[in-house]
Amino acid sequence: MGTMGTSTLKDIAEKLNLSVATVSRAINNKEYVKEETRERVLQALKEYNYVPNEIARSLKLQSSKTVAVIVPDICETFFGKIIKGIERTIAHREYSIIVADTDEKKENEKRYLDMFFQKRIDALVFATVDLSGDYVKNYFSSYPIVFIDNIPELKDVDCVAIDNVKASHMAVEYLIERGHKEIAVIIGSVKETTGYARREGYLNTLKRHHIPVDSDLIQYGNYKEDSGFQCMETLIKQREEHPFSAVYVTCEMMTFGAIKAIYASGLRIPEDISLVGFDIQDKAKLIFPTITTVRQPESVIGRKVGELLLKRLDEKDLEKRNSEKILLDPYMEEGESVKRIN
């Protein structure tokens, strides 16, 4: 044992001629330990570079005090704010958060699910891209799981999300109220509930106003910036045959791609194309013109997820719990990217 290495409780107990139990009580600030003894132990911890064995501790306590979060793209500000909201809610209970980015790939989801199970996490927050939920359901009896953003087609799951049909309704209604009738849309995968529901909101709103649906004005991307660029580029190239005055883009990164494509084509926002985005975060007002966007209450989502996690962690029988689906309202943040044409 030396100052350059790390020591165990047993090492320190032997060095101080104390029992391991006494050293443990001193470290955990328990009663029945003399103050002089406690100070000797704390000094020895520093001198001999003691590092707690968290794996052993988790085995003993049957808890690692860890919540895992799996998301498809950590670069999206949306997920970052949710994670921050979760952390603020569960921190007082001494839970830590570890995050994994699946890059929108099902195989990565499986790998992280297996890895986190081995690490003995206490709970999982999951933004899945696998609508079937076939793999994650294997872990339902192991620890609480709360889904965010995309919800798998499984019964009795806990989830916190927004009303995505309503989100698209708000965006399209906003454009129609300003005189737009030919409205293009860029959507993510409809194999995921977010993409499917946002498309439904778009289609339902057009039909409600008796506006014909042009399938060529519906472009499908993969939530990445480059796919937003490509979808917008396609819409612009076929604009003579399939005209549109406005475009609604249903996620942040694809919105940025669409904006780049519009400017790359020599067109302007909103003079040539009006645009409504989704979850655009621009507090510094660096984007010009400012973008009208549908917003999700990320901090509220994070807080609700954290509260639901703590509730589940306090329950002893996961099999008997009643699942909760918390649906929050989106809201519009008005910018200067939509031109009134009526």
Side-chain angles (χ1 to χ4, degrees):
M1 182 174 70
T3 56
M4 295 301 292
T6 58
S7 303
T8 66
L9 283 187
K10 185 178 180 182
D11 293 332
I12 291 171
E14 290 177 353
K15 182 70 176 178
L16 300 178
N17 198 27
L18 297 170
S19 69
V20 173
T22 299
V23 172
S24 179
R25 285 198 297 270
I27 291 173
N28 292 295
N29 204 28
K30 300 293 185 181
E31 298 177 0
Y32 314 119
V33 178
K34 293 181 180 179
E35 192 57 35
E36 178 187 353
T37 302
R38 193 186 312 279
E39 289 179 5
R40 285 178 62 207
V41 170
L42 295 178
Q43 182 58 39
L45 296 181
K46 295 178 183 178
E47 183 179 350
Y48 296 108
N49 194 28
Y50 170 71
V51 178
N53 187 332
E54 295 296 343
I55 295 176
R57 179 179 293 179
S58 68
L59 287 170
K60 182 177 180 180
L61 300 177
Q62 292 296 302
S63 170
S64 63
K65 302 297 285 187
T66 303
V67 172
V69 181
I70 301 178
V71 298
D73 188 353
I74 194 62
C75 291
E76 287 195 28
T77 312
F78 167 69
F79 291 119
K81 288 194 171 185
I82 289 178
I83 292 168
K84 192 168 187 176
I86 296 170
E87 196 278 333
R88 285 177 172 172
T89 307
I90 67 176
H92 73 283
R93 294 276 293 271
E94 298 183 349
Y95 284 98
S96 299
I97 290 178
I98 51 176
V99 182
D101 184 330
T102 65
D103 195 31
E104 302 275 357
K105 294 182 172 64
K106 293 181 184 180
E107 59 269 26
N108 289 344
E109 287 190 353
K110 293 179 180 179
R111 180 165 57 86
Y112 284 125
L113 286 169
D114 291 340
M115 182 184 76
F116 287 145
F117 177 73
Q118 293 170 11
K119 289 184 176 294
R120 303 178 66 85
I121 62 170
D122 291 322
L124 173 67
V125 180
F126 196 11
T128 183
V129 297
D130 184 1
L131 194 60
S132 72
D134 286 340
Y135 201 75
V136 68
K137 67 184 179 183
N138 296 322
Y139 294 101
F140 281 179
S141 61
S142 302
Y143 39 70
I145 299 175
V146 177
F147 291 94
I148 58 172
D149 195 43
N150 190 43
I151 316 303
E153 294 177 332
L154 296 171
K155 292 183 179 179
D156 303 323
V157 297
D158 287 325
C159 64
V160 181
I162 66 158
D163 185 334
N164 282 292
V165 172
K166 184 176 182 178
S168 285
H169 168 71
M170 292 170 67
V172 179
E173 193 74 30
Y174 182 91
L175 289 167
I176 292 172
E177 286 173 357
R178 282 149 187 81
H180 297 275
K181 298 291 189 289
E182 297 164 327
I183 302 169
V185 66
I186 299 175
I187 300 174
S189 171
V190 291
K191 292 182 178 179
E192 300 175 23
T193 54
T194 49
Y196 179 83
R198 289 171 195 176
R199 183 182 65 176
E200 286 302 292
Y202 165 82
L203 294 172
N204 292 344
T205 308
L206 291 184
K207 291 174 182 176
R208 190 175 304 159
H209 287 272
H210 306 290
I211 297 173
V213 175
D214 182 349
S215 59
D216 286 288
L217 292 184
I218 303 174
Q219 294 292 314
Y220 298 94
N222 64 1
Y223 300 102
K224 304 293 185 181
E225 186 175 313
D226 59 348
S227 75
F229 186 97
Q230 291 163 7
C231 289
M232 191 71 241
E233 196 174 45
T234 299
L235 288 169
I236 293 170
K237 286 179 179 178
Q238 63 183 27
R239 198 176 183 191
E240 284 190 16
E241 294 181 19
H242 303 279
F244 63 96
S245 60
V247 61
Y248 162 47
V249 192
T250 64
C251 89
E252 182 187 38
M253 299 308 291
M254 290 197 302
T255 302
F256 290 145
I259 292 170
K260 287 184 178 180
I262 291 170
Y263 289 139
S265 299
L267 300 172
R268 298 164 300 167
I269 301 171
E271 291 85 355
D272 300 310
I273 297 176
S274 290
L275 181 143
V276 173
F278 206 102
D279 270 339
I280 303 302
Q281 314 272 348
D282 185 31
K283 284 187 177 181
K285 305 299 181 186
L286 296 175
I287 302 174
F288 182 81
T290 54
I291 304 299
T292 296
T293 181
V294 181
R295 289 291 306 274
Q296 303 186 68
E298 298 95 346
S299 297
V300 179
I301 293 173
R303 175 168 55 82
K304 292 290 186 182
V305 169
E307 291 170 354
L308 186 51
L309 282 174
L310 293 178
K311 179 180 177 181
R312 293 293 179 243
L313 287 164
D314 288 337
E315 295 172 345
K316 294 185 178 179
D317 192 342
L318 291 176
E319 301 292 336
K320 293 183 179 179
R321 58 114 175 98
N322 293 315
S323 62
E324 289 189 34
K325 183 176 183 180
I326 300 173
L327 207 60
L328 302 172
D329 284 332
Y331 62 97
M332 291 289 292
E333 197 170 83
E334 192 168 17
E336 302 166 332
S337 61
V338 176
K339 180 175 72 172
R340 185 179 288 274
I341 59 175
N342 58 1

